[in-house]
Amino acid sequence: MRKDENVNLIVKILIMGVVFLIIVRGWVYTNTIQEAVKKQDDLFIMNLMTYQIRSGKEKIYIYEAEDGMGMMVANLNSFSGWNAKLVDKLYYSEGEVWKYVEAENKGDVIPVIYGFFNKNSGESYAVIVENEADNLNEQAQSFVGYDNKQYWYLHLNNSSLDSSAFGIYDFDTGESFYEAEQVLLNSDIEEDDKSLNELGCNVKEFDYNDSFIEGMESFPTYGDLMKNFGEPIEVKDMTNVFIYGNFYVLVYDNIEFVIQCSRSEEGEFIIRDNDRVCRVDITGDKYILDSSYFGGIGIGSTANEIIESFDKDIRKINHSGVDDTCLERVVVRCRNDVDKYNYERGIYFSGVMDTGLALGIVFLIDENDKVVRIIMGWPTAG
């Protein structure tokens, strides 16, 4: 073969290679971020917020989907176009929620706090994000979405913050939008959710109405609690118990309610009318679960009858800390005096709150196989 024929062959191969690369690039190339996001979440509806991380080739993309609000990190590749990676997802079934997330991209930590809340039609709010531990007090970027939901986020300038100390407030009124237990820590909550799902804590066995006591809501707001039960005999301060927040135990005759409190404009924790009960302890036979589901189970009920009727087991309880059981999450969280209960066995039921969060009910059993205490709480949030 002559030299000029070799050159022509090489040129032809190069041309064919370029054509092949063009064809392949056209096949794999994603033109827009939206297309890349849709590949990761086929329930995508619309973009909410997009902002640049560094040179314009990396972006944080927050979007609305049919089932919730998601966050992705998107990267622009000169060959393949935009590629997106799902970092986090908030689901409407969780109620009004927000998260602090530290996404990693090419070695950089990208702190973002974001969420959504329900709003009255036609209203919109300016959101202030506060974090006293890191001297943060900034107004979040916001977008008034559809279906009476408002979405918002705050990019935190590439510096990690104390994720246990956030507060989300209405800029105009100073009112808190969320309970502090809804802070979803980046790594801890992912492990929590994983273990809860594996353990079946979120498996629905009963409805929220089945947790009512004497026909009254078990997890009312503080205002409704005062209407139903009147002034408590005693109020105990259970400050900073296990998860971030200030808790007060309102003690009545034979029943106690734990409320997680808001902060005043001066930063002090107070009980507001819209602060909600997050845990209930029934200690006497005055109150029973009177729904058709539980059939009037109360203090003094026989454990064996519950086991036979509901195909349940009596389990051991470790009061020294939260173990990997739904039962212990309900019993131990939100209280620092559980060692005084002196009941080492219990029967667990799982259900769902009116907000969509998991709800657990534990019947504590004494040595005579009788129900001596009924505890209701949220295993996912305390």
Side-chain angles (χ1 to χ4, degrees):
M1 184 177 292
R2 292 180 301 177
K3 184 176 180 180
D4 55 344
E5 291 178 344
N6 290 334
V7 172
N8 289 335
L9 180 61
I10 292 172
V11 171
K12 289 179 180 179
I13 291 173
L14 290 175
I15 292 174
M16 290 175 65
V18 170
V19 172
F20 175 77
L21 289 175
I22 291 173
I23 293 173
V24 171
R25 183 177 185 272
W27 179 54
V28 301
Y29 190 85
T30 303
N31 289 317
T32 66
I33 295 181
Q34 285 87 347
E35 290 175 350
V37 171
K38 288 178 182 179
K39 285 186 176 181
Q40 300 298 320
D41 191 340
D42 57 7
L43 297 180
F44 168 86
I45 295 177
M46 65 178 294
N47 171 45
L48 296 178
M49 310 101 178
T50 307
Y51 64 90
Q52 180 177 317
I53 299 174
R54 291 190 293 182
S55 63
K57 293 185 176 181
E58 297 88 32
K59 294 180 183 293
I60 288 289
Y61 190 91
I62 299 177
Y63 66 95
E64 179 185 10
E66 292 178 13
D67 57 346
M69 176 185 186
M71 186 177 83
M72 294 193 185
V73 172
N75 292 274
L76 179 61
N77 185 287
S78 58
F79 177 76
S80 62
W82 287 101
N83 296 292
K85 178 182 178 182
L86 182 64
V87 175
D88 198 36
K89 188 74 175 283
L90 303 178
Y91 294 96
Y92 297 142
S93 60
E94 296 173 313
E96 299 178 330
V97 292
W98 57 281
K99 283 191 178 182
Y100 172 70
V101 177
E102 291 185 349
E104 291 191 9
N105 186 63
K106 296 185 178 180
D108 290 339
V109 175
I110 308 161
V112 179
I113 181 169
Y114 80 115
F116 66 84
F117 53 83
N118 295 313
K119 64 182 182 66
N120 295 325
S121 180
E123 293 183 343
S124 61
Y125 306 98
V127 177
I128 287 291
V129 179
E130 291 186 0
N131 186 320
E132 293 182 348
D134 298 286
N135 196 29
L136 172 72
N137 188 312
E138 296 186 32
Q139 183 171 338
Q141 294 86 346
S142 61
F143 174 88
V144 178
Y146 298 98
D147 298 326
N148 290 337
K149 289 185 173 60
Q150 179 162 322
Y151 309 89
W152 58 268
Y153 81 100
L154 178 63
H155 179 212
L156 299 171
N157 300 319
N158 296 325
S159 58
S160 298
L161 299 183
D162 180 357
S163 58
S164 66
F166 284 110
I168 314 297
Y169 303 94
D170 186 318
F171 178 82
D172 295 319
T173 66
E175 294 285 336
S176 173
F177 280 116
Y178 304 95
E179 300 293 341
E181 80 272 3
Q182 289 178 308
V183 175
L184 304 181
L185 307 184
N186 182 40
S187 59
D188 293 343
I189 201 66
E190 288 177 1
E191 290 301 315
D192 256 10
D193 286 345
K194 180 181 178 181
S195 61
L196 285 169
N197 288 329
E198 290 174 350
L199 294 165
C201 290
N202 291 317
V203 176
K204 177 181 173 181
E205 293 178 350
F206 63 87
D207 290 321
Y208 176 58
N209 290 346
D210 294 323
S211 70
F212 282 25
I213 308 165
E214 301 292 321
M216 295 180 290
E217 189 177 11
S218 299
F219 294 83
T221 63
Y222 175 69
D224 288 338
L225 182 65
M226 292 298 101
K227 293 177 184 177
N228 293 336
F229 289 84
E231 292 293 329
I233 299 171
E234 180 184 2
V235 177
K236 299 178 183 178
D237 185 355
M238 311 289 285
T239 303
N240 296 322
V241 180
F242 192 77
I243 57 175
Y244 170 74
N246 267 52
F247 298 86
Y248 288 91
V249 181
L250 278 60
V251 181
Y252 293 85
D253 184 21
N254 296 317
I255 193 168
E256 298 177 356
F257 297 91
V258 179
I259 289 185
Q260 187 169 21
C261 304
S262 302
R263 287 193 300 177
S264 67
E265 294 181 3
E266 293 75 27
E268 298 177 350
F269 281 91
I270 59 174
I271 303 178
R272 298 185 185 276
D273 279 349
N274 60 351
D275 288 336
R276 193 172 183 184
V277 171
C278 62
R279 174 189 166 106
V280 182
D281 284 3
I282 301 175
T283 55
D285 58 8
K286 183 178 179 179
Y287 300 102
I288 62 172
L289 300 177
D290 56 356
S291 71
S292 58
Y293 181 91
F294 286 106
I297 296 175
I299 304 302
S301 295
T302 303
N304 291 333
E305 292 178 354
I306 298 174
I307 293 170
E308 292 175 0
S309 298
F310 293 94
D311 191 24
K312 291 286 183 179
D313 296 320
I314 295 179
R315 306 183 195 176
K316 293 277 189 178
I317 301 173
N318 173 23
H319 290 285
S320 62
V322 178
D323 201 353
D324 286 332
T325 70
C326 310
L327 180 148
E328 287 168 358
R329 291 174 185 269
V330 172
V331 172
V332 174
R333 286 195 173 189
C334 289
R335 294 295 291 259
N336 57 15
D337 59 352
V338 293
D339 56 330
K340 298 177 181 178
Y341 292 178
N342 296 322
Y343 305 117
E344 299 178 352
R345 300 181 303 153
I347 303 173
Y348 176 80
F349 285 79
S350 61
V352 62
M353 286 286 294
D354 55 335
T355 60
L357 291 173
L359 171 61
I361 296 181
V362 174
F363 298 97
L364 295 182
I365 309 301
D366 66 5
E367 65 277 5
N368 298 315
D369 290 337
K370 298 285 188 179
V371 176
V372 289
R373 192 169 191 142
I374 301 173
I375 300 175
M376 299 187 283
W378 307 346
T380 51

